[in-house]
Amino acid sequence: MSVVEIKGVTKTFAQGNITALENIELELQPGEFVSLIGPSGCGKSTLLRVVGDLTPPTHGTVTVNGKPAHQARKDGDYGIVFQDSVLFDWRTVAKNIALPLEMLGWDRERRRTRVEEMLDLVELRSFADHHPWQLSGGMQQRVSIARALSFEPALLLMDEPFGALDEMTRERLNLELLSIWEKLGSTVVFVTHSISEAVFLSTRVVVMSPRPGRIAGVVEIDLPNPRTAETRYTPRFFELVTKVRELLRSRGEHLLPEEEELLEADR
């Protein structure tokens, strides 16, 4: 059974009568890492929010683990990580990670055990009693990822989680995210503006067209696992980056100048 099944999804915002998504069809299988990429305003984040039941589709349906998205959210079938880590400054790292477990009614000992497991997973055990404001941006995002995975969701939704980080931190967190994904086997949907990041992380890259967002094409990523820093220098990596870039260009007749610059900067 597919983890996510999107059928004929269209999303129109009444204010301004803007159609953000049009007739999206997509299936995600268990254990996939699928990146969504496209020009600004193409609906990548909107599609993620529709899947996460944070905004309803105007037309079409989304099922997660065979259930309507609304029921899947109530059942805790997925975690969400945003560009901002959205941590609570008055709670320690450990208590931030424990928050969804508290809401689910886990007892104290079970919470403690799970939090320790997650701290080890993101290599932050020694920072358990720190507060978010005492951490770097990259460390805060690791806490956010640990919190989203604490209750073992089948699906992890990530909306440009590393977009605000410097390039070196971003590349290091890419490696850490892949390591976590390989250990846990969750299905991941990842929104990014970076072609190289999408290719490096993914099993598939879904390229979206300018608004109204449609699926312009899907690129299968056949890079071997585990991926390392050296993966970015292999001929196959450059071939796949070029394939995604060309697909973006072929559907980018209406790209804004700054979006053209984005494609050039990612060379």
Side-chain angles (χ1 to χ4, degrees):
M1 182 178 66
S2 301
V3 175
V4 177
E5 190 170 5
I6 304 168
K7 289 187 174 181
V9 163
T10 293
K11 175 63 180 179
T12 300
F13 292 98
Q15 186 174 7
N17 193 30
I18 296 172
T19 299
L21 300 169
E22 187 170 78
N23 196 31
I24 300 292
E25 301 271 347
L26 185 65
E27 287 190 31
L28 277 68
Q29 303 305 318
E32 280 198 285
F33 195 121
V34 175
S35 288
L36 306 178
I37 193 167
S40 298
C42 73
K44 303 181 295 296
S45 294
T46 300
L47 180 56
L48 195 83
R49 293 174 67 84
V50 168
V51 172
D53 190 45
L54 299 176
T55 188
T58 307
H59 302 290
T61 61
V62 176
T63 57
V64 177
N65 288 338
K67 298 172 282 190
H70 180 66
Q71 186 61 47
R73 180 172 61 82
K74 290 175 63 178
D75 292 347
D77 284 359
Y78 44 74
I80 303 177
V81 180
F82 298 101
Q83 183 170 348
D84 188 335
S85 58
V86 198
L87 301 175
F88 295 104
D89 279 343
W90 60 90
R91 295 179 71 106
T92 64
V93 165
K95 289 183 178 179
N96 266 286
I97 295 173
L99 182 59
L101 308 181
E102 294 173 15
M103 296 174 68
L104 290 169
W106 288 30
D107 64 61
R108 186 185 299 258
E109 183 59 26
R110 188 183 178 197
R111 290 200 310 267
R112 184 190 64 78
T113 299
R114 183 57 176 169
V115 167
E116 288 179 354
E117 291 173 352
M118 299 312 299
L119 286 168
D120 287 339
L121 185 67
V122 296
E123 299 181 351
L124 287 174
R125 173 73 78 111
S126 61
F127 293 90
D129 295 326
H130 286 60
H131 289 81
W133 51 268
Q134 296 174 297
L135 307 179
S136 68
M139 293 168 74
Q140 289 178 19
Q141 282 300 76
R142 284 154 66 187
V143 176
S144 183
I145 292 168
R147 181 179 60 187
L149 291 171
S150 63
F151 52 96
E152 300 181 334
L155 178 64
L156 180 62
L157 306 178
M158 308 187 78
D159 192 359
E160 295 191 70
F162 309 137
L165 303 177
D166 65 84
E167 194 66 21
M168 290 183 64
T169 302
R170 185 172 185 155
E171 290 187 4
R172 179 172 55 79
L173 288 181
N174 282 174
L175 287 168
E176 291 178 4
L177 176 58
L178 282 180
S179 177
I180 292 169
W181 170 65
E182 289 165 0
K183 288 175 185 175
L184 298 184
S186 299
T187 304
V188 179
V189 182
F190 188 93
V191 170
T192 180
H193 274 96
S194 170
I195 300 170
S196 58
E197 181 174 65
V199 170
F200 182 75
L201 290 173
S202 306
T203 58
R204 286 192 294 162
V205 176
V206 175
V207 178
M208 297 183 66
S209 68
R211 193 175 66 234
R214 305 179 183 92
I215 293 179
V218 179
V219 178
E220 301 284 342
I221 306 298
D222 56 6
L223 295 170
N225 291 311
R227 295 173 195 175
T228 66
E230 286 68 37
T231 300
R232 296 178 182 271
Y233 301 101
T234 61
R236 184 55 179 160
F237 178 80
F238 286 112
E239 289 171 4
L240 290 166
V241 166
T242 299
K243 189 172 184 179
V244 173
R245 181 182 292 114
E246 289 177 347
L247 189 53
L248 278 166
R249 284 194 179 281
S250 70
R251 298 295 189 270
E253 298 88 349
H254 305 295
L255 289 180
L256 297 172
E258 59 267 28
E259 294 161 356
E260 284 284 1
E261 291 174 8
L262 175 68
L263 288 175
E264 290 298 333
D266 211 33
R267 281 189 179 276

